[in-house]
Structure formats: C-alpha cells, structure tokens
Amino acid sequence: MTYSGEVRVGGPADVHELKDLMITKIAVGPMDNNAYLLRCRATDEQLLIDAANDAHTLLGSIGDDGIASVVTTHRHGDHWQALAEVVAATHPRTYAGRDDAEGIPVPTDVLLEDGDTVRVGRVELTARHLVGHTPGSIALVYDDPHGHPHVFTGDCLFPGGPGRTTRPEDFQSLMGGLEEKVFSLPDETWIYPGHGNDTTLGDERPHLAEWWARGW
C-alpha cells in the first residue's frame, strides 16, 4: 500500500516504510492529534512522538516490544494526555524541549536543545528548537541517507501555514525559525504535522510570502 498520511480517529494507522525506518501514523483524541511510532528496521527499537491521547490505541500499536523513548513535541495538553499511562506501561526515556518541559506533567529525562540527537536504534533524528507556538517546541528531522528528509513538526508547521501564535513577535519568531531550520531543507522533504494531513516543503514553500503578509 502506498503511504498517504491520511488517517482518522478510530480508523487504521498508515505506515510509511523507509529503508531504515518504519513510520506509523495514528490519529487519536477529540482534537484529531497525530501520534507517530518510529521503528528502526535494523534493531526493532521503537520511539513514540507525542503520546497525545487514547493510551489503549497507542499501546496496541506499540505492541509487546515496547518503546525505548517517547518525545513530546511541546507543552500543550492535547499532545500529552496519554503520556503518563504510556510511560507507566512501557518505561521509556522521556524527551522534550528544555523550555517546555515544565509544562508537561510527566518528568522529562532528557531536555532537548537545538541540534541535539535523538536515536531510535541505528537511526538518528536531529532536534530543531522552534520558538513561537510555544517557547520550547521541538521538531525532529530524519535526514534519510537513502532519500529525502522527513520532519515531524508538532504544531509548528501544517499544510497551509505555521502553527497558531498569539502575539506578532511569536509569529515572527516561528516563521524565522521555520525558514532557517526547516525550509532550508529540499522541496522533497516530507512534513508530518501534529494534526491533519502530511505535506511537503515543495508544496508549502511558494506560500511563505503570503504567510508573512497575512501574519498568521
């Protein structure tokens, strides 16, 4: 099956099979959050991005192998509703951005800074700190050596624009960070957002000036 990235709450997951990494996308909760289960194909180690909601569904996807790590992209409550239950069941290392960890009600084992590495088996992800949607939002970049990059953006970038900001300076900060740290990647880069469908940088790049002009 060809991966589409189109999932719905209560429906099946969608699996993006890369040469070294399997990415399972699951929609959970009343705010249609996306959770992503990453599995290293060489070691079978797993990492979960955003234990957002519905621990039963997430644990069912995780299976008996458990997870070694869970990354929370940012402090907003809809992205960690199932975190305590998932951590209690699987005992993973917990990761979050340094400036958001205090707003996440599960202790964070590893405080992420811009440029830090997060590993899942033999696969490396690079943390990119993006300020604006929250002070400590983290995107994770997988620079696939066999293809194009893949970026898990949390709520910092969606099809059609950046994540929500409340002040002009937050919008400017987020857009500046996206241009520097995300849109510096090639057009083929695949974007996995915290809600909704996936996109690519090539689809979004032509609209950057429009986003700056509208201010959101």
Side-chain angles (χ1 to χ4, degrees):
M1 295 289 291
T2 300
Y3 175 78
S4 70
E6 297 179 7
V7 293
R8 60 178 178 83
V9 175
D14 199 4
V15 181
H16 204 168
E17 298 193 25
L18 309 179
K19 185 168 183 180
D20 295 337
L21 187 68
M22 291 183 64
I23 302 167
T24 300
K25 180 178 182 178
I26 310 157
V28 292
M31 297 184 70
D32 293 334
N33 285 76
N34 296 325
Y36 298 94
L37 182 66
L38 279 54
R39 187 181 189 100
C40 171
R41 301 187 75 150
T43 67
D44 286 333
E45 185 171 290
Q46 296 189 116
L47 176 151
L48 179 66
I49 299 174
D50 282 346
N53 207 299
D54 192 354
H56 177 76
T57 292
L58 295 180
L59 291 170
S61 294
I62 289 167
D64 294 338
D65 289 342
I67 51 173
S69 310
V70 57
V71 179
T72 303
T73 58
H74 64 288
R75 64 170 66 181
H76 287 159
D78 59 308
H79 289 260
W80 48 253
Q81 291 295 312
L83 183 60
E85 191 171 345
V86 168
V87 167
T90 61
H91 309 289
R93 292 183 302 276
T94 55
Y95 293 77
R98 179 176 295 278
D99 296 326
D100 267 14
E102 66 179 6
I104 299 168
V106 175
T108 299
D109 298 322
V110 183
L111 299 172
L112 293 171
E113 307 273 8
D114 189 67
D116 284 351
T117 296
V118 179
R119 298 185 64 90
V120 51
R122 298 179 187 171
V123 170
E124 289 190 352
L125 310 169
T126 301
R128 305 306 311 209
H129 180 203
L130 297 168
V131 181
H133 181 67
T134 65
S137 288
I138 292 291
L140 292 175
V141 179
Y142 170 49
D143 193 359
D144 186 353
H146 310 289
H148 53 74
H150 298 255
V151 186
F152 303 88
T153 56
D155 283 1
C156 288
L157 179 63
F158 296 99
R164 180 180 59 83
T165 54
T166 56
R167 302 178 302 173
E169 55 265 39
D170 292 333
F171 171 77
Q172 293 161 10
S173 174
L174 180 54
M175 283 293 294
L178 287 169
E179 287 197 323
E180 176 189 354
K181 300 174 182 180
V182 177
F183 280 93
S184 55
L185 298 169
D187 281 354
E188 296 79 10
T189 300
W190 198 276
I191 301 298
Y192 305 83
H195 305 262
N197 292 339
D198 299 354
T199 187
T200 66
L201 289 186
D203 285 342
E204 305 306 320
R205 195 185 307 277
H207 304 289
L208 283 168
E210 170 193 335
W211 302 346
W212 276 111
R214 75 189 187 191
W216 55 274

